[in-house]
Amino acid sequence: MSILDTGVRNVRNVLRYTVGEGALSDLPKLLAARRSEGTGSVVYFIDEFFKGKPDIIAKLGISPVDETVFVPTEDEPSTESIDQISARLRDTGFAKPSAIVGMGGGITMDVAKAVSNLLTNGGKAEDYQGWDLVKVPGIYKVAIPTLSGTGAEATRTCVMTNKRTGLKLGMNSDFTVYDQIVMDPALTATAPRNQYFYTGMDAYIHCVEALAGSYRNAIGDAYSRETINLCRQVFLEGDMMSPLNRERLMVASYLGGCAIATSYVGLVHPLSAGLSVVLGLHHCVADCIVMRAMQPYYPNEYEEFWRMVEKQEVAIPEGVARGLTDNQYEQLYASTVIHQKPLTNALGENYRDILTKEKVVKIFKMM
Ligand SMILES: [Fe+2]
């Protein structure tokens, strides 16, 4: 029997969402109902990018009983950093806030998810790395994406690296899914262009991988196809950051997140994870770097991807995995082939016969 499942089992989606320019202004109203229950406080996780944007922070309705945590984004979340943040919140009287808000890109949204689970479940973040290990619902949580593409606002996981074990794996659980999302395309207007592109491509790549896989179902396919359609409009028609395209990409990100909740990724993500674990590259830029070597595997999408890069005049780093040590190549290989499910989806159950160590090293050197 395969380790993959083509059936779609009782999927949990985000409970509620708002979409549209100015949607952020509704946040205080959405939180008011939660504040009337429990301690009344709200913990806000905000991408530190917004530290210098008081006009946006002012819309969040932060009150004196609340706590604000600015999330640095140089490093992706680790189990250790999640443990530290949770311990600090417990020590400062925020063990049971009425709500948690995560405003930012994938990193910030994932930190908010993980802390929400940890505050109610206790223990350490690494205890919940895996599938369905979270026992009770987390703190009620709201996502406000400020970059579009990862789908973190829609998925049932929150990616964390365990530095002790080298494992990059999230808390895959229904309890990880956000209760509410607020999608306000005005928030992506100030994103750096390259970052906006890399992140948007994460949604495109998720769905390209899903549709090229062997384990498919009608709903996953439907989400994937529409995500790709929207990405084509955003990245091939006019400026990717026009108001209309920012709204489209925000929706593509959400639908792309729903797509991967019902299907599997393929070859790009395991290779990208290798780049993140071994070289510390961020997920979305790593995805784009991997596309340098994907012509044999996804020929049409390879061509389309590079057309998008050219059209939007963005820069994709090159040569990041050339001239490394044998030990580094060994680690790159190990941290790629460990991703059994996506690789089986892409290449079949005997994927290790195709992805030999020599082959994997050759692929990395092409990047
Ligand atoms: Fe991704």
Side-chain angles (χ1 to χ4, degrees):
M1 211 182 113
S2 170
I3 55 157
L4 303 189
D5 189 353
T6 45
V8 178
R9 285 161 303 139
N10 217 11
V11 173
R12 171 145 183 209
N13 276 133
V14 165
L15 287 182
R16 290 173 176 273
Y17 53 79
T18 58
V19 197
E21 186 100 12
L24 184 62
S25 309
D26 295 333
L27 180 72
K29 225 167 41 204
L30 295 173
L31 288 174
R34 312 303 308 185
R35 286 184 189 276
S36 62
E37 293 166 23
T39 58
S41 64
V42 176
V43 175
Y44 293 82
F45 290 97
I46 304 174
D47 185 324
E48 63 176 3
F49 177 80
F50 290 94
K51 234 178 190 171
K53 306 209 177 304
D55 47 325
I56 291 175
I57 302 284
K59 291 185 184 161
L60 302 177
I62 300 174
S63 96
V65 299
D66 298 336
E67 175 72 341
T68 303
V69 180
F70 284 102
V71 179
T73 53
E74 298 95 68
D75 297 318
E76 296 192 321
S78 64
T79 48
E80 225 178 356
S81 67
I82 298 300
D83 288 338
Q84 280 166 2
I85 296 169
S86 306
R88 205 173 57 229
L89 288 174
R90 283 196 194 99
D91 292 347
T92 52
F94 293 97
K96 290 234 154 65
S98 294
I100 283 183
V101 173
M103 183 173 101
I107 291 177
T108 309
M109 287 189 279
D110 278 1
V111 167
K113 285 169 158 180
V115 172
S116 160
N117 281 341
L118 207 54
L119 285 180
T120 54
N121 281 271
K124 292 188 153 203
E126 67 177 15
D127 302 340
Y128 306 102
Q129 276 189 299
W131 277 265
D132 302 308
L133 300 172
V134 182
K135 291 189 178 60
V136 295
I139 305 288
Y140 174 91
K141 54 193 178 298
V142 184
I144 308 169
T146 65
L147 271 170
S148 303
T150 65
E153 64 277 26
T155 60
R156 68 194 297 275
T157 191
C158 47
V159 182
M160 308 172 294
T161 301
N162 186 330
K163 289 184 180 153
R164 195 175 55 77
T165 60
L167 190 65
K168 188 178 176 183
L169 184 63
M171 301 177 180
N172 283 274
S173 162
D174 280 353
F175 298 131
T176 306
V177 181
Y178 273 104
D179 299 286
Q180 167 84 52
I181 31 182
V182 174
M183 291 181 270
D184 184 343
L187 290 168
T188 60
T190 53
R193 272 188 84 78
N194 280 349
Q195 189 61 49
Y196 179 92
F197 183 87
Y198 303 151
T199 311
M201 279 300 125
D202 195 23
Y204 174 80
I205 292 169
H206 285 153
C207 297
V208 161
E209 290 176 279
L211 288 176
S214 358
Y215 294 86
R216 308 261 297 277
N217 59 70
I219 190 159
D221 283 5
Y223 279 130
S224 290
R225 276 195 304 266
E226 188 51 24
T227 303
I228 290 177
N229 278 340
L230 287 164
C231 288
R232 284 184 178 137
Q233 292 168 6
V234 172
F235 295 105
L236 293 171
E237 293 171 19
D239 179 28
M240 63 182 182
M241 294 186 74
S242 70
L244 176 59
N245 278 341
R246 281 188 284 103
E247 182 168 26
R248 284 169 170 160
L249 192 59
M250 203 156 252
V251 173
S253 177
Y254 171 71
L255 295 180
C258 295
I260 41 173
T262 50
S263 55
Y264 301 95
V265 290
L267 181 59
V268 181
H269 272 71
L271 291 160
S272 170
L275 291 176
S276 296
V277 171
V278 181
L279 303 175
L281 287 159
H282 281 207
H283 176 62
C284 301
V285 70
D287 281 350
C288 292
I289 294 169
V290 171
M291 285 305 282
R292 289 194 174 280
M294 289 297 103
Q295 188 175 27
Y297 305 96
Y298 305 102
N300 297 334
E301 295 78 9
Y302 170 90
E303 183 275 324
E304 186 169 64
F305 172 85
W306 289 102
R307 208 147 33 91
M308 290 171 173
V309 170
E310 203 173 302
K311 167 97 186 159
Q312 302 301 333
E313 299 179 347
V314 290
I316 310 295
E318 189 173 5
V320 298
R322 286 178 206 151
L324 305 178
T325 63
D326 287 349
N327 185 31
Q328 282 175 306
Y329 284 120
E330 186 62 54
Q331 287 176 24
L332 280 171
Y333 169 70
S335 51
T336 298
V337 295
I338 198 172
H339 297 274
Q340 224 184 343
K341 289 185 181 185
L343 292 173
T344 302
N345 184 38
L347 303 170
E349 296 192 356
N350 299 323
Y351 70 84
R352 282 172 189 264
D353 298 341
I354 300 167
L355 287 185
T356 59
K357 186 169 162 225
E358 294 65 39
K359 181 83 194 177
V360 172
V361 170
K362 208 169 133 202
I363 293 174
F364 277 113
K365 285 184 174 167
M366 285 176 72
M367 300 174 193

